[in-house]
Amino acid sequence: MNIPPVILNAGKKHTATLIFLHGLGDTGLGWAGALNTIKPDYLKVICPTAPMQPVTINGGAAMPAWYDIRSLDEKDEDREDLEGVDMSVDYLMNIVRGEKQHGIEPNRVMIGGFSQGGAVSLRTLLASSETLGGCLALSCYLPGDSSSLQTKQIQTPVFQAHGDADQVVSYQRGLQTNQILQKYLLNLQFVTYPGMGHEANLKELDDVKEFIEKSFEKK
C-alpha cells in the first residue's frame, strides 16, 4: 500500500474506529470529507488508499484498486481476482488489529466501504475470527463463491445500502448479496434508495451516521 491512509482523529476521547475503503479508481480522500461531516466525536476514521494496479475492465490501465475486476458480467464466475480480494482482506484485518495499540478492541472497530471497498469489507466480516463493531456495505456485492464461506452465525450489525438505479453494480446483485448475507448475519439492515445510481446521497449519509451511533452506543 503506497499512499498513507487519510486519518480523521476523534474530536474527544477516542473510543471507536471506522475503517472505510473507497471504490475502484478513487482514493482515501474521496470519502474522507463526507465521513468527516457525520462522524461522532469519539470516532476515529481511517480511509486507506488502494495500491495502483492494472485493471482488466479498464483496458489494463493502472489505478487504485483493491483487486482486479476481469469482467462486468455478473454471471461470470471469474469476474473478480479472489487472490487479490484475500490480500485486501488481510490488509484490512491488519488495520483492525493495529487499533489495539490505541486501546481499541475489534468489537469497537467498524469496517466498511463503497463498491469494491464494500465488497472487501463484507468478505472480511465473513472471514474474520474477530467480533467486529459493525460493517457498512454501500453499493456493493459479495465477491466470489459464497459456498466457501464459514457457516457460523455473526452478530455484528451490518448496514447494506443500494440505489435502485445503480448502473455499475446492479440493484439485482445487491438483492442477491442480501439473500446470501441473511444466511450468516443475525443483524442485517438493507436500505434501498430510489433513483440513486452508483453513488451516495445525503439521505444515505444520514442513515450511515445513525447506524454508526446506534452500533456503538449499545456497547
Side-chain angles (χ1 to χ4, degrees), residues 187-218:
N187 189 356
L188 173 63
Q189 179 183 0
F190 182 82
V191 181
T192 300
Y193 295 94
M196 189 176 82
H198 197 62
E199 59 192 331
N201 61 24
L202 292 176
K203 178 66 171 71
E204 183 179 46
L205 287 173
D206 283 344
D207 291 343
V208 166
K209 178 181 180 180
E210 182 179 349
F211 174 78
I212 291 171
E213 292 171 350
K214 282 187 175 179
S215 296
F216 285 130
E217 72 184 16
K218 293 176 182 176

Side-chain angles (χ1 to χ4, degrees), residues 45-207:
V45 179
I46 303 174
C47 296
T49 294
M52 296 287 289
Q53 62 175 296
V55 176
T56 302
I57 60 167
N58 287 322
M63 61 186 59
W66 298 111
Y67 52 87
D68 186 22
I69 299 178
R70 301 182 179 123
S71 168
L72 288 176
D73 182 357
E74 296 182 355
K75 296 179 181 178
D76 185 350
E77 295 182 359
D78 193 39
R79 58 187 174 257
E80 296 106 20
D81 170 23
L82 293 183
E83 186 175 333
V85 172
D86 289 342
M87 289 176 63
S88 291
V89 166
D90 289 343
Y91 170 74
L92 180 52
M93 278 310 301
N94 281 336
I95 302 179
V96 172
R97 296 185 192 104
E99 284 302 284
K100 287 186 178 183
Q101 298 174 10
H102 303 286
I104 308 299
E105 293 297 320
N107 70 347
R108 295 290 296 176
V109 178
M110 181 177 293
I111 60 175
F114 175 79
S115 195
Q116 220 191 29
V120 170
S121 298
L122 284 177
R123 195 81 188 183
T124 301
L125 176 68
L126 295 178
S128 174
S129 59
E130 303 276 12
T131 299
L132 299 171
C135 181
L136 296 166
L138 310 183
S139 303
C140 66
Y141 53 88
L142 185 62
D145 183 2
S146 62
S147 64
S148 64
L149 297 171
Q150 60 187 14
T151 56
K152 72 174 185 179
Q153 297 288 285
I154 298 171
Q155 302 208 14
T156 299
V158 177
F159 178 83
Q160 185 191 0
H162 220 105
D164 66 4
D166 195 322
Q167 70 280 20
V168 177
V169 179
S170 72
Y171 180 61
Q172 185 62 34
R173 192 170 185 196
L175 291 174
Q176 290 169 349
T177 294
N178 182 258
Q179 290 175 350
I180 295 169
L181 293 176
Q182 287 180 36
K183 301 175 186 176
Y184 305 101
L185 305 179
L186 299 174
N187 189 356
L188 173 63
Q189 179 183 0
F190 182 82
V191 181
T192 300
Y193 295 94
M196 189 176 82
H198 197 62
E199 59 192 331
N201 61 24
L202 292 176
K203 178 66 171 71
E204 183 179 46
L205 287 173
D206 283 344
D207 291 343

